Amino acid sequence: MREVGKELRHLGFAAVFMLAASGASAQLQEFSTGQRNLACGSPAAIGDGWPTATPESVGLESPRLCGIAARLVATNANVHAVVIVRHGTLVFEQYFPGYDEPWGLGSGPHDFDATTKQDMRSVSKSVISLLVGIAIDRELIKSADEPVVKFFPDYATLKSPGWDNITLRHLLTMSSGIQWDENRAWNDPQNDEPRLSSEADPFRYILSKPIAAPPDAAWTYNGGGTDLLGNIIERVSGKSLDGFAREALFAPLGISDWEWMKYRNERIASAVGLRLRPRDAAKIGQLVLNRGAWNGRQIVSPKWIEQSVTPRFQAIGYFGGLFYYGQQWWMGRTLSGDKDVKWIAAMGLGGQRIFIVPDLDLVVMTTSGLYGRARQGNAALDILTNLIVPSVRDK
């Protein structure tokens, strides 16, 4: 999960956070002096298909949301973007300068606004799940219970005992039993994840791994399985992954400014390489909230969405908490005042988060630059719990 930029940190974290904090403080000053007539967090008009309105029009309290910036500055959160959608309407967005490690652009201080693409990192995995669902809806894949080896006849000689029992669903739920460990330092030779970018043929590497446990016996975080899913999409569609994603998902969502990056071995980074504007990432959340529909068009079936966000395993110790895992989607809950709030999420290294709160008809998207930090993502959950949910004022 430390997928890129490990040669980074030309600036120390302390210096970086001071820069981020001073930049955000400058933004607060700008709001208080030069933009008194503009409500904080007012969405910009950039013609991306989002309807926009005020927080009050969808039952949210603006004054409480206006406290987000100060809270982020006070906690040195290094959050780059906060986007809030309610009842299908974009009602709040704010952007902050800060340290980042954007793929191929160099680590260091960066500025952000509504038109800036940001690394989604492992949020990419949740998008791969949607693409698998679309491929099944189109009958390019019979079902998620198809055996993985069926799609890789050219690697049949690699097959070790146990591989015949692994299905696409096992890859989706990270319960395949493949011997895999990416919860190590990036430069640790036992870390499997760097091999995805360094191996000339990463699929051969993954498919040659031994089976350490029966499928469904245990949950183990495994980006290699997601890369296999991305390649299966290419094999069944006859298109590149980004080509299929463009036609099947992003174009219907009105997402035109995006990238899916490649590893240095020129293989597309299915599990970690997606770059989106935060407003467009929020569309992914709204799609799930709408059970696979966007603007009245069914993009992925409700059945697939339901399967994807059904908890299947406990996922302890990843992204800083105790969560449940479905099909490349996370589930959890938070106590906000006297409200027990359940949410669905896509999560990426550094603090990239798409929170979906069905009971409140709410989507919150944040990006951040806390790579390699234990508290990554804490700020997103903090503002969701202590500012955004309490701002709901429905009768």
Side-chain angles (χ1 to χ4, degrees), residues 4 10 27 47 55 85-86 141 162 171 182 223 226 230 238 252 261 265 281 291 303 330 354 356 359 362 368 394:
V4 291
H10 302 304
Q27 275 204 353
V85 177
R86 190 154 199 243
I141 299 171
L171 299 183
E182 58 185 74
T226 309
M261 309 302 288
N265 59 14
R291 294 174 53 80
K303 180 181 177 181
W330 303 81
I354 304 173
I356 303 154
D359 289 347
L362 177 72
S368 181
D394 291 339

Side-chain angles (χ1 to χ4, degrees), residues 66-336:
C66 285
I68 288 175
R71 193 175 187 97
L72 295 177
V73 170
T75 56
N76 282 336
N78 194 25
V79 166
H80 305 149
V82 179
V83 174
I84 302 174
V85 177
R86 190 154 199 243
H87 301 330
T89 300
L90 178 65
V91 296
F92 184 94
E93 65 176 351
Q94 276 189 311
Y95 301 90
F96 310 91
Y99 174 84
D100 198 22
E101 301 167 18
W103 193 306
L105 299 179
S107 57
H110 289 268
D111 292 321
F112 303 94
D113 61 28
T115 64
T116 307
K117 291 189 296 294
Q118 300 191 45
D119 287 3
M120 294 293 104
R121 303 299 176 100
S122 286
V123 169
S124 309
K125 294 178 172 68
S126 301
V127 175
I128 288 291
S129 177
L130 293 173
L131 295 175
V132 171
I134 293 171
I136 291 173
D137 292 341
R138 295 183 176 187
E139 299 183 346
L140 300 175
I141 299 171
K142 183 177 179 181
S143 79
D145 298 313
E146 290 278 87
V148 171
V149 295
K150 171 184 174 180
F151 300 94
F152 295 97
D154 43 330
Y155 294 97
T157 58
L158 293 177
K159 190 171 62 178
S160 58
W163 266 98
D164 282 332
N165 299 321
I166 298 173
T167 67
L168 273 62
R169 197 178 307 279
H170 296 134
L171 299 183
L172 287 160
T173 59
M174 296 195 180
S175 63
S176 64
I178 298 170
Q179 183 176 297
W180 192 268
D181 187 353
E182 58 185 74
N183 192 30
R184 294 172 176 265
W186 185 257
N187 58 1
D188 188 325
Q190 300 301 311
N191 188 337
D192 289 298
E193 189 186 12
R195 305 292 286 270
L196 299 175
S197 68
S198 63
E199 293 283 332
D201 187 347
F203 308 121
R204 174 174 290 273
Y205 176 77
I206 301 164
L207 292 164
S208 67
K209 297 290 287 183
I211 304 304
D216 281 333
W219 182 89
T220 301
Y221 197 83
N222 185 337
T226 309
D227 274 20
L228 287 182
L229 291 168
N231 190 243
I232 288 170
I233 290 169
E234 293 185 321
R235 288 169 177 250
V236 300
S237 69
K239 300 178 180 180
S240 64
L241 178 64
D242 52 347
F244 184 76
R246 178 182 296 108
E247 176 267 320
L249 181 62
F250 295 142
L253 288 174
I255 298 174
S256 58
D257 187 12
W258 60 279
E259 300 172 277
W260 211 313
M261 309 302 288
K262 293 182 178 179
Y263 296 120
R264 60 178 180 266
N265 59 14
E266 290 302 307
R267 302 283 188 170
I268 196 161
S270 300
V272 297
L274 184 60
R275 288 171 50 78
L276 291 171
R277 299 184 300 192
R279 290 166 61 128
D280 288 335
K283 290 181 180 180
I284 300 296
Q286 190 65 40
L287 180 72
V288 172
L289 184 60
N290 290 348
R291 294 174 53 80
W294 172 261
N295 283 346
R297 175 179 176 180
Q298 199 71 43
I299 297 174
V300 59
S301 68
K303 180 181 177 181
W304 184 257
I305 298 296
E306 182 180 357
Q307 291 177 8
S308 297
V309 301
T310 297
R312 297 178 184 271
F313 291 92
Q314 282 196 346
I316 301 173
Y318 283 82
F319 296 121
L322 168 61
F323 307 122
Y324 301 105
Y325 203 73
Q327 293 183 167
Q328 309 276 287
W329 288 89
W330 303 81
M331 283 125 273
R333 61 203 304 169
T334 185
L335 189 63
S336 179

